[in-house]
Amino acid sequence: MIYIDPPYNTGNDFIYEDDFSQKDEDYAENSGQTDEEGNRLVQNSESNGRFHTDWLNMMYPRLKLAKDLLSDDGVILITIDHNEHATVQMICDEIFGHNCFIGELVWKSSDNSNNNALTFSEDHNYILVYSKSPDWRPNFINDPEKRRHFKNPDNDPKGPWFDGNPVNNPGLRVNLQFDITTPSGKIIHHPANGWRWSRETMKEKFRTGELRFSKDESRVIRRTYLKDMEGLPPSTLLTNHSVTGHTRGAKYELKKLFPEEPVTSLFSTPKPTLLLKYLLTITVASDCVVMDFFSGSGSMADAVLQYNAQNSTSITDKAGNIPTYKNICEMGEERIRRAGKKIKEETGADIDYGFRCFRVDSSNMKDVYYKPSDIKQAELDLFMDNIKEDRTPEDLLIQVMLDLGVLLSSKIEEKEIAGKKVFSVENGYLIACFDEKVTEEVVTAIAQQHPFYAVFRDSSFSSDSVAANFEQIFDTYSPKTVRKVL
């Protein structure tokens, strides 16, 4: 599942730079409404269009990427308000296809009305739901409030029941238009569209007690037992604040985690974890991956931790943030730490509370690594080591994992082999050693671990003979290991 809670393009100054409007003259030039000398080519500029241009330019590539990242049974949820509701739906129809539009949820985001509103008090947000496949279906839910009408006044051994679900067919079915004779000989005429089942099926349902006649034998009653219910389809209206929360509650939630921070320095528009946990309930499986494109203060990560603790699931959250806003990224990291500690203290749940934080950066390698032909002979002494000086062994490991397609969420252990520090990823699937003065003894000890991948640093070998014998050692002890030297 991918969750996107983008800046809403309100024209206000939030922590995210979410005012994407352009000046009239900038838009006129960019949209071709002026000539080279700046003369306007049309009588009036498209004053509405200029406000949306930059926002759509930001969203379009992200939504294209989201479609590529979705699994075949994946779903994307996008929260938005009225400012860009229509435009984001248009580009989603283009990218995902209108047949993959599953629905639109309306979330009552405010717990009190805005008495200062000039027109209407806007108390809701939208949540657009699109899928990779038009066959996607949400998880049905067990809502006690919607089950209160199930009773058992006659002590039915099958438990609580409800009489009243329809027996007529929702569409016209001529082949199901037949009359039924009651035990006393009365005739019950078929509904206008016909019955919901065939004559043989109805006979079996009368035998099991699912269908029965009313006391006066004037109609057919369908009995539904609570034990047979597999859940109900979730509603498009999210109005119960005890289930899906509200914006003010989300701010209080964040304040409880950061009591030392003034409210003005906290993220101003978080989503409540109640809402996010409800969205997880209706969309995810027990071991899926959740991606959050605009992670903000880390609300989704917090919600995933709570959800895993409450449901004994192992959902993984992958969150992304705009690196320009350092304070937001740091707040998200700290929220995950504090939320994990709080959940562990309150529930004692045995789940994975850890996380890793990565920052997008340039390659660890100098240009000589990628383009050796571009380096002049006189410059070779400058490149005795092809790795940038400020990069750590951990930096190298992460790049290697990305290059080899090893998940960044994989288990990483630091071990000592023959006196050298090595990284063991996924119980020895990948072993990497970037220590200095690596001897044949170290290479041999690593080869004897039989990793699938073995990675070393070219400048780390203790001598030319070790570098020369490197391949032969692995051919002897672990010939199937894939070797890589940086």
Side-chain angles (χ1 to χ4, degrees):
M1 184 262 270
I2 293 178
Y3 176 68
I4 297 184
D5 182 21
Y8 280 4
N9 203 16
T10 60
N12 297 322
D13 293 324
F14 290 93
I15 295 177
Y16 277 120
E17 188 179 4
D18 66 346
D19 183 355
F20 296 102
S21 60
Q22 289 183 320
K23 296 179 180 178
D24 287 341
E25 54 269 25
D26 291 339
Y27 178 74
E29 181 179 352
N30 292 341
S31 60
Q33 296 182 48
T34 60
D35 61 18
E36 294 179 356
E37 297 178 355
N39 299 312
R40 186 171 292 184
L41 300 178
V42 294
Q43 185 173 1
N44 293 311
S45 65
E46 297 173 5
S47 58
N48 288 333
R50 63 179 169 78
F51 184 75
H52 302 283
T53 300
D54 276 1
W55 192 88
L56 291 172
N57 287 340
M58 176 197 71
M59 288 298 296
Y60 191 85
R62 286 168 168 82
L63 291 171
K64 289 279 287 186
L65 175 63
K67 183 182 180 182
D68 293 339
L69 293 175
L70 276 181
S71 60
D72 290 339
D73 59 350
V75 64
I76 181 170
L77 307 176
I78 306 166
T79 56
I80 201 70
D81 71 354
H82 73 279
N83 287 287
E84 297 293 349
H85 172 262
T87 52
V88 77
Q89 189 159 6
M90 283 193 295
I91 58 177
C92 283
D93 281 348
E94 177 184 331
I95 293 171
F96 297 96
H98 183 70
N99 63 327
C100 288
F101 171 63
I102 302 300
E104 177 180 278
L105 311 182
V106 179
W107 169 52
K108 188 178 181 183
S109 55
S110 176
D111 62 335
N112 55 6
S113 295
N114 179 9
N115 295 326
N116 296 320
L118 297 178
T119 54
F120 295 98
S121 174
E122 187 173 353
D123 300 332
H124 70 281
N125 284 174
Y126 302 97
I127 303 174
L128 299 178
V129 183
Y130 282 82
S131 62
K132 190 70 170 284
S133 165
D135 297 328
W136 183 88
R137 296 293 180 268
N139 301 326
F140 281 22
I141 57 177
N142 292 310
D143 186 348
E145 289 295 315
K146 295 182 179 180
R147 302 295 176 83
R148 290 192 299 177
H149 57 287
F150 284 84
K151 309 290 183 181
N152 192 9
D154 57 353
N155 294 318
D156 191 314
K158 294 183 180 180
W161 49 266
F162 167 70
D163 286 347
N165 280 328
V167 295
N168 62 299
N169 205 292
L172 180 62
R173 294 289 298 274
V174 177
N175 62 318
L176 299 180
Q177 292 177 333
F178 52 85
D179 296 338
I180 294 177
T181 303
T182 71
S184 65
K186 293 182 179 181
I187 302 297
I188 298 179
H189 297 292
H190 61 76
N193 286 341
W195 300 105
R196 191 169 283 259
W197 311 275
S198 68
R199 191 185 298 272
E200 292 74 19
T201 301
M202 290 189 73
K203 185 180 295 185
E204 175 62 19
K205 289 183 181 295
F206 274 113
R207 188 190 69 80
T208 61
E210 180 181 345
L211 295 181
R212 59 194 65 205
F213 296 106
S214 61
K215 289 183 178 181
D216 61 359
E217 296 187 349
S218 63
R219 58 192 177 91
V220 175
I221 298 174
R222 180 183 179 186
R223 175 161 292 187
T224 303
Y225 289 94
L226 181 59
K227 69 179 185 63
D228 297 328
M229 297 293 293
E230 296 181 356
L232 298 171
S235 173
T236 56
L237 294 177
L238 311 182
T239 59
N240 188 342
H241 287 147
S242 66
V243 176
T244 54
H246 48 78
T247 303
R248 191 160 60 94
K251 293 178 182 178
Y252 289 150
E253 189 176 24
L254 191 57
K255 179 63 178 174
K256 285 182 179 178
L257 287 174
F258 294 89
E260 76 283 4
E261 295 287 343
V263 174
T264 53
S265 68
L266 296 175
F267 194 75
S268 60
T269 56
K271 291 294 184 293
T273 55
L274 278 175
L275 171 66
L276 302 179
K277 285 190 292 182
Y278 178 80
L279 297 179
L280 292 171
T281 299
I282 64 175
T283 59
V284 303
S286 61
D287 58 351
C288 75
V289 175
V290 174
M291 296 196 69
D292 183 1
F293 274 28
F294 294 87
S295 60
S297 64
S299 297
M300 178 58 82
D302 189 347
V304 167
L305 285 173
Q306 292 184 40
Y307 188 89
N308 283 340
Q310 293 165 2
N311 298 280
S312 300
T313 50
S314 54
I315 298 170
T316 302
D317 175 63
K318 298 181 184 294
N321 226 330
I322 298 175
T324 305
Y325 303 98
K326 184 178 178 182
N327 60 321
I328 297 179
C329 298
E330 291 176 349
M331 180 184 294
E333 289 181 48
E334 186 59 27
R335 176 173 186 169
I336 297 171
R337 293 188 187 96
R338 297 188 185 192
K341 180 181 179 182
K342 180 174 181 288
I343 294 167
K344 188 172 184 179
E345 290 174 350
E346 292 177 353
T347 68
D350 185 19
I351 63 171
D352 185 358
Y353 295 95
F355 70 97
R356 291 179 183 145
C357 184
F358 301 98
R359 178 172 57 86
V360 177
D361 204 336
S362 60
S363 169
N364 294 312
M365 316 306 292
K366 296 178 181 178
D367 290 341
V368 66
Y369 181 81
Y370 298 106
K371 300 177 181 179
S373 60
D374 292 347
I375 306 302
K376 297 178 182 179
Q377 183 72 25
E379 298 175 331
L380 289 180
D381 288 344
L382 300 175
F383 297 100
M384 294 295 290
D385 191 348
N386 56 16
I387 295 172
K388 294 177 181 177
E389 288 75 10
D390 62 340
R391 302 308 164 93
T392 67
E394 288 77 11
D395 292 335
L396 298 180
L397 176 66
I398 296 306
Q399 180 166 340
V400 166
M401 291 173 65
L402 288 171
D403 290 344
L404 298 179
V406 180
L407 295 176
L408 295 183
S409 57
S410 300
K411 179 182 178 182
I412 300 175
E413 297 176 284
E414 288 188 16
K415 295 184 176 181
E416 186 175 297
I417 295 181
K420 297 296 180 182
K421 171 183 163 182
V422 301
F423 296 102
S424 175
V425 180
E426 282 299 307
N427 301 313
Y429 178 77
L430 161 66
I431 295 181
C433 180
F434 304 120
D435 264 8
E436 296 180 351
K437 298 181 180 180
V438 173
T439 64
E440 288 189 6
E441 179 188 5
V442 177
V443 176
T444 300
I446 291 175
Q448 289 173 338
Q449 301 284 324
H450 305 291
F452 188 88
Y453 291 112
V455 185
F456 297 86
R457 184 172 178 168
D458 183 48
S459 62
S460 293
F461 292 121
S462 60
S463 64
D464 290 342
S465 64
V466 176
N469 295 331
F470 164 75
E471 293 288 350
Q472 185 177 350
I473 293 172
F474 270 91
D475 286 339
T476 301
Y477 292 100
S478 188
K480 293 184 179 179
T481 295
V482 179
R483 308 136 210 177
K484 185 178 178 70
V485 177
L486 302 180

